[in-house]
Amino acid sequence: MHILWVEDEEELLAEGERFLRGEGCRVSEARSAEEVPALIMLEKPDLLLVDWTLAGRETGLDLCRRNDREWQLPLLMLTAKGDEFDRVLALELGADDYIQKPFSLRELLARMKAVLRRSGRGGANRNGGEAEAAPAQTDPVLRRGRLTVRPEQYQALLDGELLELTRTEFALLERLARRPGRVFTRAHLMEEALGDTYVGFERTIDSHIRNLRRKLGDDPAHPEFIQTIYGVGYKFNPGSDEKTGVDV
């Protein structure tokens, strides 16, 4: 597991780096957001650890937003901020997870592994060494258990049967299914799946999700595909692949 840790708190960075290297991780460092683009090109990390507050002109949120737009690497946000608004904001801008300072380094490692598993990039193996990264996904078709999504054909099939979805429902399903386990806020779904031309209230997303679940036969109380994250938004259930043993 190769981590790029963006942090300007020297003591935390030094302690964290020693611990992670002891767990078999490779760690690269950056003290500011401005250093990150060149390091990503040079180091090709598997995961970004990003502090919310950084020295320099750009914050961790700026870096989070740029990663979601350009590199799309798994990203874990580290911050002393702890209220719900800040958590939602970090997720909305593209973070895959969020951990509040002060934190246990063992919890940090566990969260890192979970983010990498959800992203399909693997992680540290049981012997402490570095696992091989998952092969690049070249097939444009998304296979998620009983569900198949064909973005280029604008088709979704459940158990081989074509679903009759509206353009909005398909856009939401494709965005969620592309990153299983990633939590999307309602505002993020509006922006990323529906685009800048969409006009409506965030809660309108709930109506589209209800219709989509009905067509998927998905029980909100025990969802196979789309899970509600109360107070935040929605995510595609990463366990849906495991239920049928489909390798994605």
Side-chain angles (χ1 to χ4, degrees), residues 131-147:
E132 292 184 6
Q137 175 62 270
T138 57
D139 186 355
V141 176
L142 305 176
R143 296 180 175 86
R144 302 291 183 258
R146 299 190 300 121
L147 179 69

Side-chain angles (χ1 to χ4, degrees), residues 3 7 12 51 59 78 94 98 127 150 172 181 189 206 216 238:
I3 297 97
E7 173 66 66
L12 173 61
D51 184 41
T59 68
L78 316 175
Y98 179 108
N127 297 322
R150 298 173 176 165
L172 290 169
L189 284 172
D206 296 344
L216 289 168

Side-chain angles (χ1 to χ4, degrees), residues 86-132:
D86 294 321
R87 292 196 301 271
V88 170
L89 182 59
L91 294 170
E92 183 175 329
L93 293 179
D96 292 280
D97 202 355
Y98 179 108
I99 187 168
Q100 184 180 352
K101 296 180 180 180
F103 50 78
S104 156
L105 289 173
R106 291 204 173 275
E107 180 186 0
L108 175 64
L109 179 61
R111 286 177 177 260
M112 288 163 48
K113 289 179 178 179
V115 167
L116 285 170
R117 281 197 303 271
R118 294 197 300 263
S119 70
R121 290 175 178 259
N125 63 30
R126 292 184 179 180
N127 297 322
E130 188 173 331
E132 292 184 6

Side-chain angles (χ1 to χ4, degrees), residues 39-197:
L39 284 171
I40 287 178
M41 293 293 293
L42 180 65
E43 302 284 350
K44 295 181 172 53
D46 301 309
L47 174 74
L48 300 179
L49 296 182
V50 179
D51 184 41
W52 183 301
T53 306
L54 295 169
R57 293 176 301 171
E58 295 185 357
T59 68
L61 289 182
D62 294 322
L63 190 57
C64 189
R65 186 184 294 109
R66 184 170 179 183
N67 175 64
D68 196 51
R69 186 174 63 245
E70 296 182 24
W71 309 303
Q72 296 185 339
L73 290 169
L75 187 149
L76 183 60
M77 181 70 77
L78 316 175
T79 179
K81 299 175 181 291
D83 61 36
E84 181 183 12
F85 174 81
D86 294 321
R87 292 196 301 271
V88 170
L89 182 59
L91 294 170
E92 183 175 329
L93 293 179
D96 292 280
D97 202 355
Y98 179 108
I99 187 168
Q100 184 180 352
K101 296 180 180 180
F103 50 78
S104 156
L105 289 173
R106 291 204 173 275
E107 180 186 0
L108 175 64
L109 179 61
R111 286 177 177 260
M112 288 163 48
K113 289 179 178 179
V115 167
L116 285 170
R117 281 197 303 271
R118 294 197 300 263
S119 70
R121 290 175 178 259
N125 63 30
R126 292 184 179 180
N127 297 322
E130 188 173 331
E132 292 184 6
Q137 175 62 270
T138 57
D139 186 355
V141 176
L142 305 176
R143 296 180 175 86
R144 302 291 183 258
R146 299 190 300 121
L147 179 69
T148 301
V149 181
R150 298 173 176 165
E152 293 184 358
Q153 286 77 36
Y154 233 78
Q155 293 179 339
L157 298 92
L158 184 64
D159 293 328
E161 296 293 326
L162 186 65
L163 298 173
E164 295 294 333
L165 302 180
T166 66
R167 291 181 63 87
T168 297
E169 290 163 0
F170 182 87
L172 290 169
L173 179 61
E174 189 270 340
R175 183 62 177 175
L176 288 163
R178 189 169 292 280
R179 298 188 70 177
R182 160 73 183 276
V183 178
F184 290 90
T185 65
R186 293 176 177 85
H188 201 178
L189 284 172
M190 286 177 63
E191 178 183 354
E192 296 296 326
L194 305 179
D196 295 335
T197 59

